Structures are given as structure tokens and as C-alpha cells.
Amino acid sequence: LKLILRKSLDEGKIPDLFKLAYVTPIHKGGSKLKPEQYRPVSLTSHVMKIFERVVKRNIMKHLIEQNLLNPGQHGFVPGRSTKTQLLQHYCDIFETLSEGTRIDTIFLDFAKAFDKVDHDILLQKVAKHKIKGKIGLWLLDQEFLNNRKYRVVANGEMSDVQDVLSGVPQGTVLAAVLFIIMISDVDENVKSSIVRLFADDTRISRKITSEEDKVLLQKDLNVIYDWANKNLMKFNENKFEQMSHGEAKNIKIEPYKTQSGNEIKIGETVRDLGIIANNNLLF
């Protein structure tokens, strides 16, 4: 086994058997007749997963040492978690309240983010993150991403083999680190608002002390929309949520706009990384 994996890295090749996934649909709730009510769970080679853990450890070591991780990213990063993301977000809120003003937050929702990753764009970003050597070639030659296949297993039946055409390979260990590389520059051109992420879970916040602050927050939102277009990512606009904490004198709370120009729903409560919070900071 060691020789096979060593040869895979040296030659930049992965046996086809290691790139085959078995996908099982798991019912999430609601109507069992609607495909969207199922979550696909992808099972991949255990042997390959062991090797991927070694590769991932080296990639993460490089990203951390070279300070290449997005500081606002809390997903799949050592030492960070949903707790650190929530703590930073609510520290922003308490700081704003202590100043006697308001902070507006928009919670964004990417549509099937992991499945929609464009391979060419991802590989450009892998190169930009200076992942070189044999690991870099192993990824940049698209060996890890290309020619992946899957079969659907349900009710004791198995489908024919199908090609995987896009996305980070679900069920693999490297999927997470590849995705955070993909989304690492989402806030690159955001001028003055705060962007925090947990994997694809994205929020953008700004202190509101004037009408101009509302305009600037909308501009930064538009920057993220432009990033999504450029990177071929889509949003679930109907799942966007807006929440305000605190008060800004004589400045109305008004809905910000989605990418298509619709008003974002203003809510009093939001489900935030597993907790339900309201605009009075009750959980």
C-alpha cells in the first residue's frame, strides 16, 4: 500500500478505483417524492482518505506558515470553529452596542457551493496559493479532480457509473481544504465591511452611524455578488437574511438588495451556525 501511494505522488497518478464514489441519498425531511429533500452522502475509498490526510496536513501547514488563509474563515481551519466564528461576530455586536450605535448584518447563502466549484478556477487559486512540489503537481495536473466517477446506491439498487463534472470531490478529505482555497478571496475587494465565513456560510456586517454607511454596505455586498459571478458561484437569494442590532439615531432600518435587486428579508431571529438568536441578543 505504501508503494502504491508513494508511486501515486511521484508520478502524479491516482488509480481509477480510488476515484470512484458511492452516493447514497439521505432524506432530510418533508416530501419523500421531491429530490431536493434528499442530501447526497458520498462514500469514497478509505485507502485514499488515509493518503489524503497526509496531503492535507502538508497543505494546511503551508497555508498557515505562509499566512495564506483568509483571517475571516473559521471552517476547516485548525484552532477555529463555529464557536470562534460566533464569538467574533457577537464581539462585533457588543462593541457596537457599547458605542451606542447600530450594526447591520446580512447572512448570505450559496447554492450547492461545494458542488458548483469550477475546476479551472480552483486550480488557478491552488497555484496562486503557491502549493508546489509533488503535491502541487498532483493537484495542478488535475489528477485529483479529473476523471472522478460515482454510482448512486438506493433501495438495494445501484446506478450505472456517471462522471463528476464539477465541484470539490464530495466524501474526500481534501474537499474541505480545496473549498476554503476556492472561497479565500471572496472579500478581497470588500472595502470597509466585515466578512466572516464558516466554509461557505458567509455573513457581512457594518456599523451604521450614517446613511452613507448603508450605501457602503450595499456596495460591499455588490462586490461579493460580482465575486460570485466571476467565480461561477450561485446564491439562494430567498434564503438571505438581514438583522440589525442596536439603534442609530434618525437612520431607518431598510432592506438591502440581493444580486437580482430584490429586498432582503429583515428578521428578528436567525438560525446562526446551530443556534437561534434574535436582535435582542437572546438565544
Side-chain angles (χ1 to χ4, degrees):
L1 179 59
K2 178 182 176 182
L3 292 175
I4 292 173
L5 297 178
R6 180 75 257 179
K7 190 172 183 179
S8 171
L9 189 60
D10 288 342
E11 297 183 3
K13 301 292 182 183
I14 301 174
D16 290 341
L17 182 63
F18 290 173
K19 294 196 286 185
L20 175 64
Y22 293 89
V23 179
T24 299
I26 303 298
H27 187 237
K28 297 187 294 184
S31 173
K32 291 188 176 182
L33 300 178
K34 296 181 178 180
E36 61 268 23
Q37 295 302 118
Y38 290 83
R39 177 181 292 107
V41 175
S42 185
L43 303 177
T44 57
S45 166
H46 289 294
V47 172
M48 194 61 193
K49 283 182 177 180
I50 294 171
F51 186 48
E52 286 179 55
R53 287 190 179 94
V54 177
V55 174
K56 179 185 175 183
R57 185 167 63 244
N58 283 274
I59 291 176
M60 290 303 299
K61 182 174 182 289
H62 164 74
L63 295 176
I64 292 169
E65 289 179 350
Q66 299 300 316
N67 198 30
L68 295 171
L69 291 169
N70 186 318
Q73 177 63 263
H74 292 257
F76 311 120
V77 177
R80 303 182 196 173
S81 64
T82 54
K83 290 180 181 178
T84 59
Q85 211 256 34
L86 288 167
L87 282 170
Q88 286 196 358
H89 176 62
Y90 285 97
C91 278
D92 294 337
I93 293 173
F94 285 120
E95 178 183 291
T96 303
L97 295 179
S98 70
E99 295 169 357
T101 188
R102 186 177 101 210
I103 185 169
D104 288 352
T105 302
I106 295 91
F107 298 84
L108 306 175
D109 188 86
F110 283 99
K112 298 182 179 180
F114 281 68
D115 295 328
K116 297 297 184 181
V117 170
D118 181 88
H119 289 172
D120 290 335
I121 295 174
L122 171 60
L123 290 173
Q124 290 172 19
K125 295 187 181 186
V126 169
K128 186 178 178 180
H129 281 70
K130 303 175 184 178
I131 299 173
K132 301 177 180 178
K134 291 181 178 180
I135 291 176
L137 291 173
W138 195 67
L139 291 172
L140 290 171
D141 285 347
Q142 301 197 35
E143 180 63 22
F144 183 75
L145 296 172
N146 272 1
N147 300 317
R148 301 197 76 95
K149 300 182 184 297
Y150 71 95
R151 304 182 78 169
V152 177
V153 181
N155 300 324
E157 302 291 335
M158 186 180 297
S159 73
D160 294 333
V161 174
Q162 303 291 327
D163 293 325
V164 177
L165 302 177
S166 66
V168 291
Q170 296 291 320
T172 66
V173 173
L174 285 178
V177 67
L178 289 175
F179 184 80
I180 64 173
I181 288 173
M182 177 68 184
I183 204 171
S184 61
D185 58 349
V186 66
D187 59 349
E188 186 174 53
N189 295 313
V190 170
K191 298 300 183 183
S192 52
S193 302
I194 301 169
V195 178
R196 301 201 192 282
L197 308 100
F198 187 87
D200 62 321
D201 186 287
T202 306
R203 72 192 65 194
I204 179 169
S205 305
R206 183 181 176 85
K207 293 180 182 179
I208 305 299
T209 60
S210 66
E211 291 290 339
E212 178 65 15
D213 285 325
K214 290 161 60 177
V215 173
L216 292 173
L217 178 52
Q218 182 64 60
K219 285 184 177 179
D220 283 337
L221 261 176
N222 295 340
V223 165
I224 293 179
Y225 299 155
D226 290 342
W227 178 91
N229 286 336
K230 180 181 177 182
N231 288 272
L232 307 181
M233 303 285 278
K234 302 292 184 183
F235 287 110
N236 276 325
E237 293 188 356
N238 61 331
K239 292 186 177 181
F240 284 13
E241 294 183 273
Q242 175 182 331
M243 181 173 283
S244 297
H245 292 88
E247 295 182 1
K249 191 174 181 180
N250 299 324
I251 303 174
K252 289 176 59 179
I253 295 176
E254 297 176 300
Y256 295 92
K257 298 296 181 66
T258 66
Q259 188 174 18
S260 58
N262 296 319
E263 293 184 348
I264 297 173
K265 181 183 72 174
I266 300 174
E268 294 183 356
T269 63
V270 65
R271 181 176 291 276
D272 187 7
L273 295 178
I275 68 168
I276 298 175
N278 68 16
N279 54 2
N280 292 317
L281 294 176
L282 296 176
F283 302 92

